[in-house]
Amino acid sequence: MRYGSKHRPVGRRGNQGAALLLSLLLLALAERGWAGEARPPWQTHYTGAEATGEHVIALWQFQPGQETRDASGNGHDLTLRGQARFTTDGPFGGCLESFAAGAENDKPQGALAANAPDLSPAGAFTLELWFSAKPELEQHPNVFLVDKKYFNYVKAVPEANWDYCLCLVRTGEGRRRLDAHLGFGTDSAVCTSREFPVIPGRWIHLAFTYDGAGTGRFFINGRPAGKTILQGRGPVTPGRYGVVLGDRYGSIHSGFPGYLAQVRLCRGIVPTFSGGLELELGAGRTAFVRQEKRAAVPLTVSNDTGRSLEPARLQARLAGKARTFRAPGLAPGKSHTLSFPVDTTLRPGAYPLRATVTAAAGDGRQFTATTALAVTIAPRPLPHQMPVVNWGTGDLKQVKALGFTHQLIGWDDDYGRVWEAGRPLAALPDAAARNARLLDDYLAQGLSALIYLYPGRWSGLKSHVPRVDRDGKPREGDNVCVAFPEVQRHAYNVGASVARALGDFPALAGSLIHSEVRDDTDLCFHPHDLEACRRATGAAVPPEVQGRYGVRFSVIPDFPPWQVVPDDHPLLRYYRWFWKEGDGWNPLHTRVHQGLKSTGRRDWWTFFDPAVRVPSLWGSGGGVDVISQWTYSYPDPIKIGQATDELFAMAAGRPGQRVMKMTQVIWYRSGTAPKLPEDEAKRASWERKIPDAQFITIAPDHLREAFWSKLSRPIQGIMYHGWESLTDTGRAVSYRYTHPQTQRVLAELVRTVVRPLGPTLLQVPDRPSDFGVLESFTSQIFAGRGTHGWSQGWEADLHLILQWAQIQPKVLYEETILRDGLEGCRVLALPFCDVLPEGVARRIAAFQRAGGLLIADEYLTPALTPDIVVPSYQRTGKAREDKRVLQARAASLRRELDPFYTRYGESANPDVVVRFRRYRHCDYLFAVNDRRTFGDYVGHHGLAMEKGLPTTAALTVRRPAGHVYDLVAHRPVPVRAAGGALRFTARFGPGDGRLFLIAPTPIRGVRVAAPARASRGGAVRVEVTVVDPRGAAVPAVVPVQVEVLDPRQRPAEPSGYYGAKDGKLSFTLDLAPNDLPGRWVIRARELASGSSGARAFTVAR
Amino acid sequence: MHADALRFRGRRMPWTPLLLAALGGLLPGRLAAGTTPTPAARRAALIRAAARGPAAVPRLAAALNDENPVVRRTAANLLASLGQPGRASLRAAARNSDLVVRRTALFAACQPLTAASLPALETALADPHPALRLSAARLLVALKPRDEAVRRALQRARDDRDPAVRDVAARALWPFHKDVVSIRNRKDWDHDVVVTQTIPLPDAGWRFALDPRQNGHEQGWFAPDFDDSGWTPIVTGKAWEEQGHSYDGVAWYRGAFDLPARPEHRAVEICFDGVDECAWVWINGRYVGQHDLGPDGWDKPFTLDITEEVRWGERNQITVRVQDSAYAGGIWKPVRIEVLQ
């Protein structure tokens, strides 16, 4: 029996936490019913003083015959918008039906009451309504229930900071929170409710009260649902927009797909919504990592009874253990927070925490409040887990099901506050509160969050620091001058503020810092820019400098005919400075990074992308931990390998910087299927369904092939962008979901390759390449060359030629050559190297004189003589023809190169691309099937061969001996050794990749060692060794799957995948006090040959 | 830097022996006793020979005709690196079958670049391969002094069948240039400059002709009385590609505009919001300036002083020569005249 047949899902953190949380939420709401008491006013149809009293500003009840009428008598009558209509399905009869809006239906919905002064309350106010959602609400992450503000995001203009709006924000499947955005004239702030379930078709009453002095509170079905205190705030600022029910005031519309009933706006806080004794989760966490120190759940007791309360008694129970606390006496309106310590030595899982607080008033009246919530103990992460990042945000369950480990979260709108403060904020209670539940949920789901920070893109900077031209005139565009010292400080302050606000959340794993900011960077001529230039280059900005990408040598008088320039050519010096430091972005990334690390969260990793969408010069991304790059896979998926190699060339400038790689899940329509066939019969099925899709889903075979191409490089993580094209979100945005198979392929690759083999791959370095490809910065500046990260153009195509020629190229920058020389290199390719700096040209000439080979095109600087010429090629756009020509050049190159250069390994099939990584004497051979044809998805357009075809390849590795293992199939591979080489055959499915371990010794089995007895709460040291026939550890990094099973066969914390370095693996099993006594088993299976070992031990009671 | 410097400096690198050993040991085709040396062995032998200096010249010269292109090119490169004796041998390779060898020979012949280089340049200008002709054209442009022989060679290059060669020569021979400084940017102008009147030029009514050989100026296409009736109508404000001209290169626009009676003014400027990519402008047959930044100039506005060239109260003639190297081209944004006070 194969071990895997009994294998539990690797994602060890089930969804039981989320399910428990939801059931507790429902329970909490149900417990807070009004059984046995008179129906509170909000449960009735408002009449009399409730409808027309002095305090009522507006009341819309939508009753038949008077649907549009303001029942308060104040004249705020309604006008319907879009498809909105009135029905009689409300809890009291009439209701307003509204509809969703979005990118493809950006039409006003809901109903509008014209602006009037009294609709902007001068002090405290209460906004309440009933709503019932339609099922399609689930597809809309943020909808407006009521809007008089228009802007629910930061915009530094007065008209974005008036009045109020109430949004229903998706927090998970069937779960929402309320955001009340309040405008205070120059800026805005947001109050946030707790999350609550929203079940389509079920009416929910909600109320929001604002006291006009900074305190906003939410009530769901009459019970408190969250409170936000906005320090130092007063009443909202009156604005000029009308009140819209069921949608946003203006574009882009965000209509509420559902029904609204009895919407009322009152002056003051309606007494029904003033609360009593309350017990709720405080500002803190409910999810913890196992063995975490000082874990505690904050429970806040609030006295909203209007009376002074005697000291309260709070009883709480978690996992069978009860504790009693005493809270001090509370004056009216005051709160006190108690910390309930959590025992994190418990077995990982979700545990209910129930708490009750009781307090008496001076008159003897007793008040009691109860709360129930879920506390999660998450397993500690195993070592060397490869991140699989959703570069976007999706539903947690779906994200997890597809195999992602990380995804992005936003940081909302706190840039302005940090800018105003001019220093790191000590705490951002709003940010912490908004993110706390979210991050708890991430941890409970076994996911990590990456916060996307972009202080340099904050819109508020535009008015402060625009870039200026030589005449000092502000430039158009949003790319501001981030070189201003105050902007650099701001960036640090933002990072530091986030670290302070969210540094305690283990689910927050790091940050994406800015993104796509260099594309529209520009020259700038502030005095500080000019001074910085002078300081760095020793000269003023050369007069020839007009644009950011350089000056063509053809327009420079007296340019050297040999096209070699001094290393310190003024233009070269200027552009080096501009792209490294001068435009301000790289230092800015560093400042955010430093701020994020300022509180000691060393495990956080920061990343920047697309990092090579710049000229080929070190420094992109500044000091971030990781650089990444986006790549579209069409027309040839192995181009993702080219982009990855560029990333490594960039990272070479900052030792220790790591590389991850992102595949775009979206495909530009223009690059794959631009014109809808006129004959409907010739259209693909998606073209018939979504003819106007702007972006479509990457073809599954492309995703698979691109995956293997990038994984064959020593990347530290993989990323995917285009959630709406990967999954059926139902949202009508520009990214469309047009291929359902793609997500299945991704999930399969993560399940069968990344999870089991990731810990191994993260420990296996690259095999040093002796074949360089120079990307010349100087030629980019003087001749307009460069891929700029798009993996297009001749430089990229030459890289593809090399891959098809079975060569493992290494991208070099000029700086690499100047720093490291060409030591270890035997061949150097020079695509589009029209102009070189003297130092580089000199080293290359010396390299060639010493026997090195130069491969170049017809554009090579005349100062060098190529040994082999590969003429440049301009693609026709016809995918098959272009691939044919490039592969023909690859074949020709091989013929010319073969007498002089021996490959370490190769495939006899030109469509199978090989690449090696190496650990000590072990090779890790990747082989990727690039055999493709036109399919029925986009193939009829001729721009991309998207359909992979199966193939077979005879593979050769020039090492005299070795034992070959298929790491995906987990079995040995028959191999023939002859003539100093190993030869074996591999079969490939469409777009498929294979990974072979070639080890100097055979693998015989797995040895597991552990003590025979242990006790609950104790530690068990486990040693796993992958051994050869002599019983020695195999000198390789071997993938190993471990299962530690309790007597009920449930996997314990250390279960999962590992990479056993030098064949050895050791870990500690920390038995929990609530673990089961009895017979436990440790099973270990190495995933090279498939052999396994086991060890049983007894856990005493 | 001269190529000589590149080729000679650092010749004795400490790791050279290692690589040479690699050539002999690791590369395929090690010379076996009694067999024809393999290309790798022949190449390695040339490198070893060249390390001994000019004595290797005859052997290297012979290898210029080796059957293997890598060996041939290695020989050419090594000859070039051996200074004058090597370069002399390379001159004979000006008609070698291998383009790379011919190119190496050409540059060797131009080391240094003097009048003595001209025969080699003229030979190269007649080469069947455009890449070599382009190299020759670039060298010709750099050759000083530009005497009549050089000018004649450049004129031939301007008629080359390859547009890149033509472009290099045409740019060198281009006779029009005027330093352009707007009154607004004159550092010696110590007064506020105010635009008192703006006169938009019409989008329509222009005539258009392609000039792939780049000799329109020699035919007087900028003259006010030039007969452009055979030219194609075109509008400004959009690229010529949008109007059916799928073309990269030089093209000319001719148009006319009426001016009112002379207003009070200190200066008059013509303002182009965007010409993709380079432009040269005549008003009433008089050259007024250029916008010549290369491809980067495609979206950059520019102004030219035309105070002396315009005629008030009359119809004025304007000619704009435009050069575009890639993507869209032409006068793609509005043009206007500004009266400055």
Side-chain angles (χ1 to χ4, degrees), chain A residues 47-125:
Chain A
T47 56
E50 295 287 0
T52 58
E54 271 295 304
H55 66 297
V56 182
I57 297 171
L59 173 64
W60 297 288
Q61 294 176 310
F62 320 113
Q63 293 301 344
Q66 300 188 331
E67 288 93 341
T68 60
R69 194 174 149 253
D70 172 9
S72 73
N74 292 326
H76 304 302
D77 294 346
L78 296 169
T79 307
L80 283 176
R81 308 196 316 174
Q83 301 153 274
R85 60 192 174 189
F86 300 109
T87 76
T88 54
D89 301 323
F92 313 111
C95 66
L96 168 68
E97 181 182 6
S98 190
F99 294 85
E104 294 189 356
N105 178 30
D106 190 13
K107 304 257 168 47
Q109 302 291 350
L112 168 72
N115 185 39
D118 61 340
L119 290 172
S120 300
F125 67 92

Side-chain angles (χ1 to χ4, degrees), chain A residues 898-916:
Chain A
D898 276 349
F900 303 95
Y901 178 79
T902 306
R903 288 161 206 80
Y904 182 63
E906 61 190 304
S907 149
N909 180 343
D911 274 331
V912 172
V913 173
V914 298
R915 200 177 187 288
F916 289 88

Side-chain angles (χ1 to χ4, degrees), chain A residues 403-633:
Chain A
F404 289 107
T405 59
H406 296 67
Q407 70 172 349
L408 301 186
I409 60 170
W411 193 53
D412 295 343
D413 51 3
D414 292 313
Y415 297 105
R417 291 167 61 186
V418 178
W419 177 263
E420 282 169 19
R423 57 180 167 73
L425 296 178
L428 285 165
D430 301 357
R434 275 198 303 277
N435 290 299
R437 299 288 72 76
L438 181 72
L439 290 171
D440 278 350
D441 214 3
Y442 271 71
L443 190 61
Q445 294 280 350
L447 291 168
S448 295
L450 298 164
I451 192 163
Y452 181 16
L453 297 177
Y454 44 88
R457 279 284 202 207
W458 171 53
S459 59
L461 290 180
K462 183 80 191 296
S463 55
H464 293 288
V465 292
R467 289 186 189 268
V468 297
D469 64 15
R470 279 184 188 270
D471 300 328
K473 283 193 293 197
R475 293 188 187 278
E476 291 177 10
D478 294 330
N479 202 301
V480 297
C481 181
V482 295
F484 268 100
E486 51 266 50
V487 179
Q488 297 278 324
R489 280 196 299 276
H490 173 61
Y492 177 88
N493 293 342
V494 165
S497 299
V498 169
R500 292 173 186 204
L502 302 175
D504 288 338
F505 289 90
L508 187 63
S511 176
L512 165 61
I513 296 176
H514 301 116
S515 186
E516 213 173 19
V517 288
R518 303 303 288 288
D519 300 44
D520 58 348
T521 189
D522 212 338
L523 310 180
C524 196
F525 297 90
H526 291 114
H528 67 84
D529 297 311
L530 301 176
E531 175 53 28
C533 172
R534 206 171 289 113
R535 226 175 22 247
T537 69
V541 181
E544 302 93 322
V545 169
Q546 295 288 337
R548 62 185 184 273
Y549 289 126
V551 182
R552 302 294 176 272
F553 77 88
S554 58
V555 299
I556 298 176
D558 298 325
F559 195 80
W562 270 260
Q563 293 161 220
V564 171
V565 295
D567 292 347
D568 61 350
H569 188 288
L571 286 169
L572 211 46
R573 272 189 304 178
Y574 173 78
Y575 281 110
R576 281 193 198 119
W577 167 76
F578 174 80
W579 282 106
K580 269 187 194 295
E581 304 271 337
D583 75 342
W585 281 111
N586 290 339
L588 197 78
H589 306 323
T590 304
R591 299 297 284 151
V592 184
H593 165 91
Q594 289 168 338
L596 281 164
K597 302 285 177 110
S598 63
T599 59
R601 273 293 297 267
R602 298 291 164 197
D603 61 316
W604 274 355
W605 51 276
T606 57
F607 78 104
F608 168 71
D609 66 11
V612 290
R613 208 183 283 173
V614 290
S616 301
L617 194 73
W618 287 341
S620 181
V624 298
D625 298 307
V626 173
I627 54 173
S628 182
Q629 176 70 20
W630 318 347
T631 304
Y632 299 90
S633 68

Side-chain angles (χ1 to χ4, degrees), chain A residues 932-955:
Chain A
R932 288 174 287 119
T933 188
F934 294 119
D936 59 6
Y937 180 50
V938 297
H940 49 297
H941 294 272
L943 297 178
M945 291 190 285
E946 85 284 21
K947 181 179 167 58
L949 295 169
T951 195
T952 303
L955 304 177

Side-chain angles (χ1 to χ4, degrees), chain A residues 546 550 558 562 826 838 841-842 846 848-852 860-865 867 869 898-900 902, chain B residues 1 3 6-7 9 11 13 19 27-28 40 43 47 73-74 77 100 103-104 107 110 138 144 171 295-296 300:
Chain A
Q546 295 288 337
D558 298 325
W562 270 260
R826 291 165 65 197
E838 192 175 334
R842 196 187 306 286
Q848 190 183 26
R849 277 197 306 278
L860 179 66
T861 162
L864 295 171
T865 301
D867 294 298
V869 176
D898 276 349
F900 303 95
T902 306
Chain B
M1 187 181 86
L6 245 187
R7 294 181 195 280
R9 275 187 243 166
R11 201 170 77 191
M13 298 182 62
L19 268 174
L27 293 177
R43 181 170 186 262
I47 292 171
R73 292 161 191 171
T74 299
N77 191 33
V100 176
R103 192 177 89 139
T104 308
F107 279 89
C110 296
R138 286 186 176 141
K144 301 285 171 19
R171 187 170 277 278
D296 282 339
K300 297 199 166 40

Side-chain angles (χ1 to χ4, degrees), chain A residues 69 214 267 662 669 726 781 926:
Chain A
R69 194 174 149 253
R267 285 181 201 88
M662 189 246 266
R669 187 83 181 267
L726 187 64
I781 293 304
F926 293 79

